[in-house]
């Protein structure tokens, strides 16, 4: 696979925020004054520095350490908004310091992310259309599985007759949370290992609503709650139980672990994301699905001339912090599956960015993006297995990012406008059906207080299934690369189940081996003819036109091909050598 960016080039610029001249340690009186309201800062320890020394430097500069991740060297601290970073400038234990901004967002959650929301929930504007590897457990199909074209596209229906997954294989969901009480999630939900690394933020420092009123005392949601629905949808696609009820996931016997890094509102702040990534390694998780992208910068550029020095420092800190966390997780044996994004662009030839920084609102400005020094995180982070999305016809979904530079494999992500000229066109069934938290369905008006699907919910294809004991589950259709990566994560979990080493009640397989099997057994999909594919007939402007480069074995639309669960569990051994 062709690679062009290295973190060395991206981080070549000085990483310390030099907002004032260097201050000699003895010249305390010459330090900048601290002033202004108290705000949060992220501080990254220098390579090789003792994090305790960095914490001491933070306190000496007038800050208060709130939390510290020693694995990645990332600290969150509070301090007066003026003068604090200047006091840290030149300290050898500090790599970078920058004021906290939101640094990640699951598509479809926040209203000010209208383009992302339009991708995953585009159909809302239309009416609905028509145990060890040697003793592998198998599974059958569930009643709603007939609507899961993605499940059969990756041949999970066949794979589960040979390998349906091992409960000792743990898949982390780094997202908005997981509804651990959903009847399709509960059988495979690991409560003991699940964690919520976030604290609800009712309002920001300017009084704007972020998460709104806290639902729980202490403003920390339990680790089995999802107030956004995105993470639960992802979890269902990966590992909803195959138990004769509702629907099932690609790997219906593996365990789901919630490692929540997102606010209720859908924003991902740096410290919770890094904490979740490093926890995945410490907790022995085998696979982590990351269906989110980095905010407030669509591209994190080391020295974009359109950005201020403070903004440049923030972007360098984001790239370096997440990269450290991903390196750490990789060393600990975690395979990291990442969605490529929904910006309909070739990742090697990025479009100008007029959306960043998108938080706080009103600070956006036009930037020309230099491919060599700008990274989208975590999809361009180290060890990321990038996944693009296709629709039921196998056409690349109009929204999906692509390009040979970062793509690994492709998977079903849904494509509402697929099937132009046929009854498929603009129908919910083109999308991906998965689990929907009841609390969110009620809030969004898809069900009423009695639990019945409303007319609005019916138009969206929302479905309800109930057990004999009266327990009910709800399901919704979505589309996006966020829906594609869970299919790949499910196949990765089956690979670990089939070929992993079993020891002391756990199972493991090196991430590089998982990647080789995942890519090696993927089903080839050729570029379209002609190679430049136009979406004009489905109502998209010329900006969406995409050119596919490569061969059937590897190309920019599909990578090494579509993930294939059956091939992975029956023919993957040869790729382990």
């Amino acid at each position: 696979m062709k690679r062009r960016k290295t973190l060395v080039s991206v981080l070549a610029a000085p990483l310390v925020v030099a907002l004032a001249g260097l201050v000699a340690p003895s010249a305390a009186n010459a330090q900048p004054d601290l002033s202004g309201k108290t705000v949060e800062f992220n501080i990254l320890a220098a390579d090789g520095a003792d994090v305790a020394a960095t914490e001491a430097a933070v306190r000496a500069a007038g800050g208060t350490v709130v939390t510290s991740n020693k694995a990645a060297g990332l600290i969150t601290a509070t301090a007066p908004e003026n003068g604090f970073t200047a006091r840290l400038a030149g300290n050898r234990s500090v790599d970078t310091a920058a004021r906290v901004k939101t640094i990640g967002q699951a598509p479809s959650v926040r209203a000010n992310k209208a383009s992302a929301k339009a991708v995953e929930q585009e159909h809302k504007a239309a009416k609905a259309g028509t145990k060890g590897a040697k003793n592998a457990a198998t599974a059958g199909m569930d009643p709603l599985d007939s609507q899961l074209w993605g499940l059969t596209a990756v041949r999970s229906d066949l794979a589960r007759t040979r390998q349906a997954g091992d409960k000792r294989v743990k898949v982390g969901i780094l997202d908005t949370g997981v509804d651990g009480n959903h009847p399709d999630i509960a059988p495979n939900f690991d409560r003991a290992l699940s964690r919520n690394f976030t604290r609800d933020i009712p309002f920001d420092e300017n009084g704007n609503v972020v998460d709104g009123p806290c639902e729980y005392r202490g403003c920390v949601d339990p680790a089995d709650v999802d107030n956004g629905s995105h993470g639960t949808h992802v979890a269902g696609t990966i590992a909803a139980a195959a138990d004769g009820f509702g629907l099932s996931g690609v790997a219906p016997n593996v365990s789901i672990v919630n490692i929540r890094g997102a606010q209720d509102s859908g924003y991902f702040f740096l410290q919770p994301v890094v904490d979740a990534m490093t926890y995945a390694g410490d907790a022995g998780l085998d696979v982590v699905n990351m269906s989110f992208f980095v905010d407030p910068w669509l591209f994190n550029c080391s020295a974009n001339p359109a950005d201020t020095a403070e903004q440049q420092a923030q972007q360098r800190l984001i790239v370096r912090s997440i990269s450290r966390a991903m390196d750490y997780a990789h060393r600990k044996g975690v395979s990291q599956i990442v969605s490529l994004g929904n910006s309909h662009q070739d990742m090697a030839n990025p479009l100008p960015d007029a959306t960043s920084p998108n938080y706080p609102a009103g600070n956006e400005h036009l930037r020309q993006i230099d491919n060599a020094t700008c990274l989208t995180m975590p999809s361009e982070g180290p060890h990321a297995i990038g996944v693009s999305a296709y629709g039921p016809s196998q056409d690349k979904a109009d929204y999906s990012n692509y390009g040979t530079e970062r793509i690994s494999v492709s998977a079903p992500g849904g494509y509402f406008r697929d099937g132009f000229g046929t009854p498929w066109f603009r129908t919910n069934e083109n999308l991906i059906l998965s689990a929907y938290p009841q609390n969110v369905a009620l809030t969004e008006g898809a069900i009423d207080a009695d639990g019945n699907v409303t007319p609005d919910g019916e138009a969206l294809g929302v479905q309800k299934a109930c057990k004999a004991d009266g327990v009910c589950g709800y399901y919704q259709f979505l589309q996006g690369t966020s829906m594609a990566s869970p299919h790949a994560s499910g196949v990765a979990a089956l690979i670990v189940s089939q070929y992993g080493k079993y020891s002391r009640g756990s199972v493991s397989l090196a991430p590089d081996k998982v990647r080789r099997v995942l890519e090696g057994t993927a089903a080839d999909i050729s570029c379209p003819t002609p190679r430049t594919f136009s979406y004009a007939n489905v109502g998209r402007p010329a900006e969406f036109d995409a050119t596919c480069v490569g061969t059937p074995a590897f190309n920019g639309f599909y990578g090494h091909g579509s993930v294939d669960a059956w091939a992975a569990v029956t023919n993957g051994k040869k790729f382990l050598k």
Side-chain angles (χ1 to χ4, degrees):
M1 182 184 301
K2 183 179 179 182
R3 306 275 179 177
R4 58 80 182 97
K5 295 181 202 166
T6 66
L7 292 179
V8 173
S9 66
V10 170
L11 300 171
L15 291 174
V16 176
V17 182
L19 300 181
L22 297 183
V23 181
S26 61
N29 293 334
Q31 289 187 344
D33 291 334
L34 297 175
S35 63
K37 60 189 176 186
T38 298
V39 298
E40 283 194 345
F41 293 86
N42 286 136
I43 304 94
L44 187 65
D47 284 334
D50 185 345
V51 177
T54 310
E55 292 175 354
V58 168
R59 288 189 286 268
T64 300
V65 175
V66 175
T67 186
S68 180
N69 185 306
K70 290 180 170 55
L74 180 66
I75 299 166
T76 294
T78 57
E81 62 182 333
N82 300 315
F84 176 67
T85 55
R87 286 188 172 203
L88 289 175
N91 191 297
R92 293 183 179 180
S93 70
V94 176
D95 181 319
T96 319
R99 186 169 168 177
V100 167
K101 295 289 191 298
T102 305
I103 65 98
Q105 166 129 22
S108 85
V109 183
R110 287 293 287 180
N112 69 345
K113 299 286 290 185
S115 60
K117 186 173 184 178
V119 167
E120 291 194 358
Q121 300 182 336
E122 181 184 9
H123 64 299
K124 288 195 171 184
K127 297 292 183 180
T130 54
K131 297 199 178 169
K134 294 182 179 178
N135 298 295
T138 60
M141 303 290 283
D142 283 350
L144 296 180
D145 287 351
S146 60
Q147 300 181 53
L148 306 187
W149 63 268
L151 199 70
T152 52
V154 303
R155 301 208 289 178
S156 169
D157 56 330
L158 294 177
R160 67 185 59 192
T161 66
R162 180 73 63 88
Q163 174 63 268
D166 190 294
K167 194 69 71 179
R168 293 168 290 185
V169 174
K170 313 290 187 183
V171 181
I173 314 298
L174 205 175
D175 214 292
T176 61
V178 175
D179 179 6
N181 296 305
H182 190 287
D184 265 313
I185 301 294
N188 290 335
F189 188 69
D190 191 324
R191 294 178 185 277
L193 285 181
S194 290
R195 299 287 187 274
N196 173 16
F197 293 97
T198 69
R199 179 185 297 275
D200 285 355
I201 304 172
F203 305 95
D204 67 15
E205 61 195 51
N206 298 316
N208 299 312
V209 174
V210 180
D211 296 325
C214 299
E215 297 90 353
Y216 296 88
R217 291 184 178 90
C219 292
V220 176
D221 295 342
D224 61 353
V225 168
D226 179 10
N227 288 316
S229 82
H230 192 272
T232 299
H233 195 282
V234 165
T237 297
I238 295 170
D243 55 4
F245 170 82
L247 51 73
S248 65
V250 173
N253 285 356
V254 304
S255 294
I256 296 167
V257 181
N258 177 24
I259 51 172
R260 177 177 166 179
Q263 303 300 129
D264 284 350
S265 51
Y267 285 114
F268 286 68
F269 288 89
L270 180 58
Q271 190 77 53
V273 169
V274 169
D275 288 349
M277 287 178 171
T278 58
Y279 173 77
D282 293 336
L285 305 191
D286 299 289
V287 179
V288 167
N289 186 92
M290 292 185 280
S291 289
F292 64 90
F293 61 93
V294 177
D295 288 325
W297 306 95
L298 180 59
F299 295 94
N300 293 274
C301 303
S302 59
N304 194 298
D307 301 329
T308 67
E310 182 183 17
Q311 290 171 336
Q312 292 171 0
Q314 182 196 39
Q315 292 168 77
R316 293 194 295 266
L317 186 148
I318 290 169
V319 170
R320 197 162 179 84
S321 299
I322 293 180
S323 296
R324 281 190 188 178
M326 294 178 77
D327 279 334
Y328 183 84
H330 181 79
R331 291 195 301 271
K332 290 282 191 172
V334 182
S335 295
Q336 298 168 84
I337 314 296
V338 184
S339 59
L340 277 185
N342 300 337
S343 300
H344 61 270
Q345 59 185 311
D346 182 346
M347 297 184 73
N349 297 286
L351 299 170
D353 175 22
T355 65
S356 302
N358 60 11
Y359 182 93
N363 291 294
E364 304 88 346
H365 53 268
L366 180 65
R367 305 189 301 161
Q368 301 300 317
I369 302 302
D370 173 30
N371 190 50
T373 59
C374 299
L375 291 169
T376 295
M377 300 296 286
S379 59
E380 295 190 284
H383 317 295
I385 298 175
V387 187
S388 70
Y390 62 79
S393 72
Q394 241 173 218
D395 284 349
K396 183 190 80 68
D398 53 356
Y399 55 79
S400 180
N401 287 351
Y402 61 99
T404 57
E405 185 176 88
R406 291 294 176 180
I407 194 170
S408 175
V409 291
S410 55
Y415 176 19
F416 185 58
R417 305 186 186 204
D418 205 354
F420 179 73
T422 76
W424 292 4
F425 185 58
R426 298 181 67 88
T427 57
N428 291 331
E429 289 77 9
N430 283 345
L431 310 183
I432 304 300
L433 184 68
S434 191
Y436 190 17
Q438 182 173 350
N439 60 308
V440 181
L442 180 61
T443 299
E444 295 183 343
I447 63 173
D448 61 24
D450 294 324
N452 300 310
V453 178
T454 64
D456 285 346
E458 290 177 356
L460 303 176
V462 171
Q463 298 179 40
K464 175 183 180 180
C466 296
K467 295 184 176 182
D469 61 3
V471 173
C472 298
Y474 297 89
Y475 309 87
Q476 67 169 332
F477 286 101
L478 292 176
Q479 68 174 355
T481 55
S482 288
M483 284 66 249
S485 59
H487 286 88
S489 292
V491 177
L494 293 179
I495 291 168
V496 178
S497 298
Q498 183 69 18
Y499 305 110
K501 294 182 179 179
Y502 294 81
S503 175
R504 297 179 181 179
S506 65
V507 58
S508 63
L509 186 64
D512 290 338
K513 292 184 177 180
V514 174
R515 178 192 287 270
R516 290 204 300 271
V517 177
L518 190 70
E519 294 177 346
T521 59
D524 292 352
I525 304 178
S526 299
C527 286
T529 303
R531 285 178 174 258
T532 296
F533 192 87
S534 173
Y535 295 93
N537 61 345
V538 298
R540 294 302 195 187
E543 181 181 282
F544 280 75
D545 291 355
T547 300
C548 184
V549 175
T551 67
F554 180 76
N555 60 66
F557 278 15
Y558 306 103
H560 292 273
S562 172
V563 294
D564 188 328
W566 172 248
V569 302
T570 59
N571 197 36
K573 188 174 182 179
K574 65 182 180 182
F575 296 100
L576 297 174
K577 299 177 181 179

